[in-house]
Amino acid sequence: MKLRLFALAVFSAALAACSSTTERSSADASGLLTWRDVRGLPAATPVPQLQYGPEPRQFGELRLPPGVPGPFPVLILIPGDCETSDDDGYLRPLAESLATLGVATWMIDYRRAADDADWRDSFRDVALATDHLSSLAQEYPLNLKRVVAAGHAGGGELALWLAARKRLREGDPLYVRKPQAIHGVIGLAAITDLEAQRVVPQSACAQAVEALTGGAVAEPGRVAALSPIALLPLGVPQWFVHGAEDAQVPAGQVMHYAETARRKGDRVTLGVTSNAGHYEPVVPASATWMTLQQAVIAALHDPK
């Protein structure tokens, strides 16, 4: 309860601060945020990289709320791969900002098709990083009874898959015994329908889907087996933060997903913000910042 009250107090103060910041930014801005804007954000305070596996890209960065005792609920942050994989730390400013809400952020890296990895490796790595929380909890004050996965673009697809993998059976190449439970998902401009995303014109995210699913040599049924909309119902609450002007992952896609998920019994909260595009959901103090903070508080602090 103390942790929740702390988070709500910080949240209220942050709302007041970021409200004026967002208004100033909107008044001065000539358009939507770009990839260059994201890469130009002030650097976050460095933290040690913690390996969750032997491969170079199998690491994460754990940030704990400053100045308060735990144990802390955990927010897993999964970057996407729609632009390039040469700056996988682009979620660091977001991770640092969200840690002030009283949650631990576990920002992970993982292998991609650009690394000549097998298509399964991205899923294996994200799953391994998630299950590694049990080891981290032996050293850090983490509450593994409240773990939420959040991902941007293709990372959102992986976050949704994490919630569904508990249904995998022995013999599936991605099956593991007793996976870490995911108690909710937050999608940040998330890809929710792989088939629909593959045909979005001039979208780097469409190309990323091709890489993720193996392109023209995809195994029969692979896309359907991995697509979040085909995995419904997930059985966990979901929150989506999306820009109405997102040209990479059109808002209509997540709106259709949300409608389908609700029809199948899932609890879904959808926030589509006007004057926001593909990158606002991962930028602190952007037009979508209040919506994201509300989702984090609801997902990680409110009783079920």
Side-chain angles (χ1 to χ4, degrees):
M1 177 62 72
K2 289 182 179 179
L3 178 58
R4 181 172 179 266
L5 291 175
F6 163 80
L8 289 174
V10 175
F11 175 56
S12 299
L15 282 181
C18 84
S19 177
S20 59
T21 301
T22 303
E23 289 173 2
R24 289 196 301 271
S25 299
S26 297
D28 297 338
S30 59
L32 305 174
L33 294 179
T34 66
W35 177 239
R36 178 179 294 181
D37 294 325
V38 174
R39 296 188 67 178
L41 291 172
T45 303
V47 297
Q49 292 184 346
L50 306 175
Q51 294 293 138
Y52 63 80
E55 298 293 332
R57 300 194 71 160
Q58 292 178 327
F59 70 87
E61 296 180 2
L62 183 67
R63 289 175 169 84
L64 302 179
V68 291
F72 305 107
V74 182
L75 181 67
I76 304 168
L77 283 174
I78 309 172
D81 197 23
C82 293
E83 295 293 345
T84 64
S85 58
D86 63 353
D87 189 4
D88 298 307
Y90 74 95
L91 293 184
R92 286 189 180 110
L94 180 65
E96 184 172 61
S97 294
L98 290 176
T100 66
L101 297 183
V103 305
T105 59
W106 174 229
M107 189 197 78
I108 64 174
D109 197 4
Y110 57 94
R111 288 172 290 176
R112 322 291 213 281
D115 304 315
D116 294 326
D118 181 273
W119 71 268
R120 300 172 183 86
D121 289 336
S122 293
F123 293 87
R124 286 172 175 152
D125 285 2
V126 170
L128 185 61
T130 299
D131 294 338
H132 188 65
L133 287 171
S134 61
S135 296
L136 293 177
Q138 297 176 24
E139 183 175 355
Y140 301 95
L142 305 179
N143 176 9
L144 300 189
K145 294 182 179 179
R146 188 61 68 91
V147 176
V148 170
H152 178 233
E157 188 275 333
L158 291 167
L160 292 161
W161 174 82
L162 278 175
R165 71 176 176 134
K166 60 182 178 290
R167 300 202 301 259
L168 296 177
R169 297 290 181 260
E170 286 190 64
D172 189 289
L174 299 174
Y175 169 82
V176 296
R177 292 184 65 250
K178 297 182 178 180
Q180 167 63 47
I182 298 296
H183 303 92
V185 178
I186 300 176
L188 309 171
I191 295 174
T192 53
D193 187 331
L194 295 183
E195 288 285 12
Q197 187 61 46
R198 292 172 81 180
V199 297
V200 175
Q202 298 180 332
S203 170
C205 288
Q207 299 169 19
V209 168
E210 288 296 321
L212 182 67
T213 59
V217 296
E219 299 169 6
R222 180 187 303 176
V223 173
L226 300 176
S227 184
I229 198 167
L231 298 174
L232 292 171
L234 300 186
V236 300
Q238 300 151 59
W239 293 261
F240 292 93
V241 182
H242 218 96
E245 305 301 322
D246 191 336
Q248 293 285 348
V249 184
Q253 182 187 131
V254 72
M255 293 170 70
H256 174 63
Y257 173 92
E259 179 183 351
T260 304
R262 290 167 181 154
R263 191 168 60 246
K264 294 194 174 185
D266 279 350
R267 180 159 60 89
V268 177
T269 303
L270 175 60
V272 178
T273 302
S274 60
N275 300 318
H278 187 62
Y279 297 108
E280 277 79 359
V282 298
V283 174
S286 74
T288 61
W289 184 231
M290 291 186 187
T291 301
L292 176 55
Q293 289 181 104
Q294 290 169 342
V296 171
I297 295 295
L300 290 167
H301 292 293
D302 285 354
K304 294 190 176 183

